[in-house]
Amino acid sequence: MRRGSIPGGSGTVRPLRTYGDPVLRAAARAVTVEDRPLRRLVEDMYATMYAARGVGLAACQVGLPLRIFVYDCPDDEDRRHRGHVLNPRLVSTGGVTVRGPEGCLSLPGLEYGTPRADEAVVEGEDVEGRPVRIEGTGFFARCLQHEYDHLDGGLFVDRLSGLRQRRALRAARQFLD
């Protein structure tokens, strides 16, 4: 991407996959040299995330089982974090566990208090193959963990338990029709 360009500004909005689509439950595969170039996909993912008014988006949510996610997310101090990561690894989580509101573009309209670590560190690479390290706290740490879960076939409702999880799964069934 060019310096100074707006991510997603030249992208195409892709259809979002919703709960029940098998691609959301499959582990994504690592991005390889054969998958490149990926600039267009990353641009499309930003455009799709912005159109849906999200703060993060994993490639599986647009139907591609690749280990990629994009984000444009504030932390608890309202500092904006924007970027993308290929082949991310969640290298650490820490701090206190916080139960905070969480939703998902693949489960539109659903939001539940979900426990997440208050700190997270993700490492991977950018579209140019350069290493990236992303450190997040608060809401941004929640975003990083949420998008990382998608890459292993996870959804935020999997982190719920008891009555909360039963209610969330019952509500999610609306996407199966």
Side-chain angles (χ1 to χ4, degrees):
M1 287 175 254
R2 292 185 308 268
R3 173 168 266 152
S5 67
I6 298 171
S10 65
T12 301
V13 176
R14 295 183 181 210
L16 284 169
R17 303 298 178 97
T18 57
Y19 183 81
D21 190 313
V23 74
L24 294 174
R25 289 306 199 166
R29 68 175 177 77
V31 173
T32 64
V33 174
E34 292 80 33
D35 295 316
R36 296 182 190 271
L38 293 166
R39 277 183 221 271
R40 177 94 241 141
L41 172 59
V42 169
E43 279 292 301
D44 289 355
M45 288 174 64
Y46 275 117
T48 304
M49 176 184 72
Y50 291 139
R53 297 190 172 139
V55 296
L57 185 74
C60 65
Q61 293 179 276
V62 292
L64 299 171
L66 296 172
R67 295 188 77 79
I68 303 172
F69 69 79
V70 300
Y71 56 89
D72 188 343
C73 183
D75 60 22
D76 289 353
E77 284 74 43
D78 211 27
R79 287 183 304 241
R80 184 178 184 186
H81 301 270
R82 181 172 56 200
H84 66 275
V85 61
L86 283 61
N87 297 327
R89 297 173 313 284
L90 184 63
V91 296
S92 70
T93 57
V96 297
T97 298
V98 177
R99 181 179 302 277
E102 195 163 326
C104 181
L105 297 177
S106 293
L107 293 153
L110 301 186
E111 187 177 279
Y112 291 90
T114 306
R116 296 276 186 186
D118 196 46
E119 301 169 355
V121 177
V122 172
E123 294 179 344
E125 59 189 79
D126 67 11
V127 293
E128 303 296 332
R130 295 179 298 240
V132 295
R133 179 180 172 90
I134 308 153
E135 298 181 22
T137 60
F139 185 69
F140 182 47
R142 177 176 298 280
C143 174
L144 293 173
Q145 293 167 78
H146 177 108
E147 298 311 326
Y148 186 82
D149 281 355
H150 274 301
L151 304 180
D152 290 325
L155 295 169
F156 84 96
V157 293
D158 301 332
R159 294 198 171 265
L160 304 176
S161 60
L163 183 59
R164 271 192 181 97
Q165 186 176 57
R166 286 191 300 277
R167 285 181 177 161
L169 292 174
R170 190 175 317 120
R173 288 189 191 105
Q174 70 181 311
F175 301 106
L176 298 176
D177 297 330

